Amino acid sequence: MAIPTSRHQLWRTKSVEQSIRDTDEPDSKLRKELTAWDLTIFGVAVVVGAGIFTLTARTAGNVAGPSVSLAFVFAAVACALTALCYAEFASTVPVAGSAYTFSYATFGELAAWIIGWDLILEFALAAAVVSKGWSQYLGELMGSRSPILHIGSIDFDWGAVLLIAVLTTLIAIGTKLSSRVSAVAVAIKLGVIALVLVIGVTYFDSDNLTPYVPESKPGEGGEGIHQTLFSYLTGAGNSTFGWYGLLAAASLVFFAFIGFDVVATAAEETKNPQRDMPRGILGSLIIVTVLYVAVSLVLTGMVPYTDLAGDDATLATAFAIHGDTWVKNIISVGALAGLTTVVMVMLLGQTRVLFAMSRDGLMPRKLAHTGNRGTPVRITVIVGIVCAVLAGFVEFGTLEEMVNIGTLFAFVLVSIGVLVLRRTRPDLPRGFKVPLVPLLPILAVLACLWLMLNLSVETWLRFVVWMALGLVVYFAYGKRHSVLGKSVSDKG
């Protein structure tokens, strides 16, 4: 057989069988100890964060009114389409790396690198950004004391760094321990949400839900690179409320669901991935959808949506209007618990993607060493240090949108990948199959592309720059050290 040309080598795929065989390498073997229950906890842990306490109120007051609850349903449907694709892949290719590993088996090495580089950005930024949010809530509970230390002209967020240090240690010790800590934190935040719902129902007035879809009115949009790509390309104006506002709200609240894909990164550490991965991914999505819809309905039934207008509105705002200011501290405790689990699972996802890339030689192979604990300690420590530095010293601002575009890009590739693998490897045993193929994967792609169009031009430009940097790293290091590339050369 002839040696593939350089062009063809960029699209060389790693077989599913080889990916599974690599999981048995003694020096880079992860411990299988997770169940469907653990995966569901991880899913709920990463999706239900501070967004349920803040995003719901702001979207209702500024964009959709009472119809924010329907916006969550629309977003959940779009998210479920992608979740089905992730469930099929995770049950077919039960290997660490999530979308990176799936892309390697379908599109080839270059595409796998691109999505891996993309996920590195997504998880690292998400962990750092959310940890700073955790630090802010910690400051609220501490009263007059702030978790920000001023060193000359430099601000050091010791609260965010402390959180990342503790969680990095837990993840290095073992995935099962991380799951148990997540379970406790999830129980706390679900308890807070339940209390909020019970108290909120006592103030519920159905008249506040009328009109359910408020009349449309002109809205303010950004200009230049700060406007959405859709507005930039079409010249379309912006509006709030009405049906357009409802659809715009669905784009906004979709990001409250981001994170369920991280569950797929733990496929290799699952006892029965063919059965448990689909249950964990879809089960967690169902739970969080019910929670989001319930909270949004109670919130908009407590007060007129106009009372929630502004950038500072939160769930606590509705209770403050009724004189229950004490609820604010309870919500802060729930937010702290919620954000703790989000950061933990994002760090876990980051380490598993880097682990898979290192095992394939696209990153230094020594990083994939697992040792006696069955966890990639070296990678975990490096990830923890990088995220701690970002969280401790960097102000992110609009960089937060980079998390969204990175996630949606991964969603698109995974959804297309299901169609590709169905065609190229119909013989593979699948623990779960997406129904109505190719319709549902195509709808998933269209939904994600629409949401990407609603992100700013500035975010797209930054994304392109990050990807260009990734290509430089790949051709300078990854391509030359690829384990698959070396094996192809040896055979040639």
Side-chain angles (χ1 to χ4, degrees):
M1 181 179 69
I3 299 175
T5 65
S6 177
R7 179 176 64 85
H8 289 156
Q9 287 176 2
L10 297 179
W11 311 112
R12 56 198 174 207
T13 59
K14 182 178 181 181
S15 71
V16 174
E17 290 81 2
Q18 182 60 51
S19 293
I20 295 176
R21 283 196 296 270
D22 286 348
T23 64
D24 290 326
E25 291 184 7
D27 190 54
S28 57
K29 187 180 179 66
L30 295 173
R31 189 172 298 167
K32 295 181 180 292
E33 52 186 4
L34 300 179
T35 64
W37 176 248
D38 294 316
L39 297 174
T40 302
I41 289 174
F42 276 143
V44 175
V46 73
V47 176
V48 180
I52 198 168
F53 303 112
T54 57
L55 183 63
T56 305
R58 294 172 189 170
T59 306
N62 301 324
V63 184
S67 64
V68 65
S69 55
L70 184 58
F72 272 111
V73 174
F74 286 169
V77 171
C79 203
L81 293 172
T82 309
L84 291 171
C85 298
Y86 266 91
E88 175 167 329
F89 254 126
S91 66
T92 309
V93 192
V95 179
S98 186
Y100 160 77
T101 301
F102 306 156
S103 296
Y104 215 154
T106 51
F107 302 111
E109 184 171 286
L110 180 59
W113 168 268
I114 289 174
I115 199 65
W117 187 252
D118 165 57
L119 291 174
I120 289 173
L121 172 73
E122 174 195 340
F123 293 147
L125 279 182
V129 169
V130 176
S131 65
K132 291 182 79 69
W134 183 92
S135 183
Q136 290 177 353
Y137 277 104
L138 178 64
E140 290 186 10
L141 286 179
M142 292 194 305
S144 59
R145 297 184 61 187
S146 171
I148 307 297
L149 183 62
H150 303 287
I151 308 174
S153 60
I154 299 175
D155 291 338
F156 174 64
D157 193 335
W158 62 263
V161 172
L162 175 64
L163 175 67
I164 289 178
V166 171
L167 296 182
T168 298
T169 303
L170 289 175
I171 294 172
I173 293 174
T175 310
K176 190 65 176 181
L177 177 60
S178 301
S179 174
R180 289 170 180 166
V181 173
S182 290
V184 174
V186 166
I188 292 173
K189 67 181 174 183
L190 291 184
V192 170
I193 291 172
L195 180 62
V196 166
L197 289 174
V198 170
I199 299 174
V201 166
T202 63
Y203 298 114
F204 189 87
D205 183 353
S206 59
D207 290 341
N208 290 328
L209 300 181
T210 305
Y212 186 67
V213 181
E215 184 178 351
S216 177
K217 66 178 184 180
E220 296 181 359
E223 297 180 354
I225 63 173
H226 301 296
Q227 63 183 313
T228 67
L229 182 61
F230 179 75
S231 296
Y232 180 80
L233 295 175
T234 64
N238 294 277
S239 67
T240 56
F241 304 112
W243 285 100
Y244 183 86
L246 172 59
L247 294 176
S251 297
L252 291 173
V253 301
F254 175 87
F255 303 124
F257 291 93
I258 284 179
F260 74 86
D261 56 311
V262 183
V263 176
T265 65
E268 193 173 325
E269 296 160 271
T270 304
K271 293 179 180 178
N272 188 345
Q274 286 75 18
R275 180 195 66 191
D276 294 341
M277 287 305 301
R279 291 183 180 181
I281 292 174
L282 298 175
S284 58
L285 182 60
I286 291 172
I287 292 172
V288 299
T289 300
V290 171
L291 289 176
Y292 282 145
V293 172
V295 169
S296 59
L297 277 174
V298 170
L299 173 66
T300 51
M302 288 179 62
V303 296
Y305 72 91
T306 52
D307 290 347
L308 300 174
D311 294 332
D312 297 326
T314 66
L315 196 57
T317 302
F319 288 95
I321 291 174
H322 288 286
D324 288 339
T325 54
W326 59 273
V327 177
K328 180 180 179 180
N329 288 334
I330 294 180
I331 290 177
S332 294
V333 171
L336 278 174
L339 293 178
T340 298
T341 57
V342 172
V343 176
M344 174 182 286
V345 182
M346 285 297 179
L347 288 173
L348 179 68
Q350 172 74 287
T351 59
R352 277 16 180 201
V353 170
L354 276 174
F355 169 79
M357 296 176 75
S358 300
R359 188 164 58 188
D360 290 333
L362 302 184
M363 290 289 188
R365 287 267 292 171
K366 291 183 179 180
L367 296 179
H369 177 71
T370 53
N372 297 329
R373 293 191 180 279
T375 60
V377 177
R378 295 173 183 174
I379 288 179
T380 303
V381 172
I382 292 173
V383 167
I385 292 174
V386 171
C387 290
V389 170
L390 288 174
F393 296 99
V394 178
E395 290 297 328
F396 290 94
T398 55
L399 280 179
E400 294 179 25
E401 280 197 7
M402 293 289 286
V403 177
N404 302 335
I405 195 169
T407 302
L408 288 166
F409 181 63
F411 285 4
V412 169
L413 281 188
V414 169
S415 299
I416 297 175
V418 166
L419 299 177
V420 173
L421 202 62
R422 284 281 190 102
R423 185 177 181 83
T424 58
R425 293 299 307 274
D427 57 303
L428 287 174
R430 291 167 168 81
F432 175 85
K433 285 187 175 182
V434 178
L436 300 178
V437 170
L439 176 62
L440 293 189
I442 291 175
L443 289 176
V445 171
L446 294 176
C448 292
L449 289 176
W450 166 251
L451 294 168
M452 291 176 77
L453 284 173
N454 280 278
L455 294 173
S456 69
V457 176
E458 183 180 21
T459 298
W460 275 91
L461 291 175
R462 287 171 174 165
F463 183 66
V464 170
V465 170
W466 174 256
M467 286 302 167
L469 177 61
L471 290 177
V472 172
V473 175
Y474 172 71
F475 286 106
Y477 181 89
K479 184 174 182 292
R480 294 189 295 110
H481 293 82
S482 166
V483 173
L484 181 62
K486 290 180 179 178
S487 65
V488 170
S489 299
D490 292 342
K491 289 180 181 178

